[in-house]
Amino acid sequence: MNLLKTNQGQGLLESVLILPVLFLLGSILTLLLYRSLVFYVADYHLHEALLCGASEKIHFCEDHFLKQMHQILPSQTDVSIQIQTYRPSGKVVIQLNPTIKISKELALPH
C-alpha cells in the first residue's frame, strides 16, 4: 500500500514532461508536410506555365503562375519565375527558410 502512494503522481508527471516533445514533433511534421506541398504545387504549376509559354505570351503565364502560388504561400513570401522561350525551361525560387529552388526543362514534341 505504501508503494502505491509513492507512485501516485508518476503518470501525470510523465505526461506533462512529454507534452513539449510531442508539440515539437508535431510542429516539425507540419512544417515538413507544408514544404512538401509547396514544392509539388510549384513544380506542377511551373510545368503548366511552361506549357502555357509555348502558346501564350510569357508575361501572361508568369502572372498566372504567381497568382496560383500566392494562394498557398504567405503574403510576404517572394516568388520569382524565369521562363525562357527559345528553349522551354523555367526556374522558380521561393523565399522560404531554407529557400526552395526548382528548375525544369520541358521537352515539347516537334
Side-chain angles (χ1 to χ4, degrees):
M1 185 73 168
N2 197 14
L3 182 61
L4 184 61
K5 286 185 178 183
T6 59
N7 291 335
Q8 199 167 10
Q10 187 70 26
L12 178 65
L13 182 64
E14 288 174 359
S15 63
V16 167
L17 290 176
I18 199 70
L19 280 177
V21 174
L22 290 176
F23 180 74
L24 180 66
L25 288 175
S27 299
I28 290 172
L29 182 63
T30 303
L31 180 66
L32 288 175
L33 288 173
Y34 176 71
R35 285 186 60 84
S36 298
L37 173 77
V38 168
F39 178 83
Y40 288 114
V41 168
D43 186 54
Y44 172 77
H45 286 301
L46 176 60
H47 182 78
E48 292 296 317
L50 290 175
L51 289 174
C52 171
S55 61
E56 299 286 334
K57 292 185 178 183
I58 297 297
H59 182 69
F60 171 76
C61 299
E62 289 176 348
D63 288 343
H64 183 69
F65 173 82
L66 293 174
K67 186 169 48 168
Q68 293 296 324
M69 288 307 296
H70 281 298
Q71 289 180 356
I72 64 165
L73 291 172
S75 60
Q76 72 272 12
T77 305
D78 291 330
V79 179
S80 62
I81 181 172
Q82 298 172 350
I83 299 176
Q84 300 172 353
T85 55
Y86 59 90
R87 189 182 83 223
S89 64
K91 181 176 151 185
V92 176
V93 177
I94 302 171
Q95 295 297 327
L96 292 175
N97 193 5
T99 302
I100 297 176
K101 295 180 183 180
I102 302 172
S103 295
K104 188 170 226 166
E105 189 166 323
L106 188 64
L108 293 176
H110 295 289

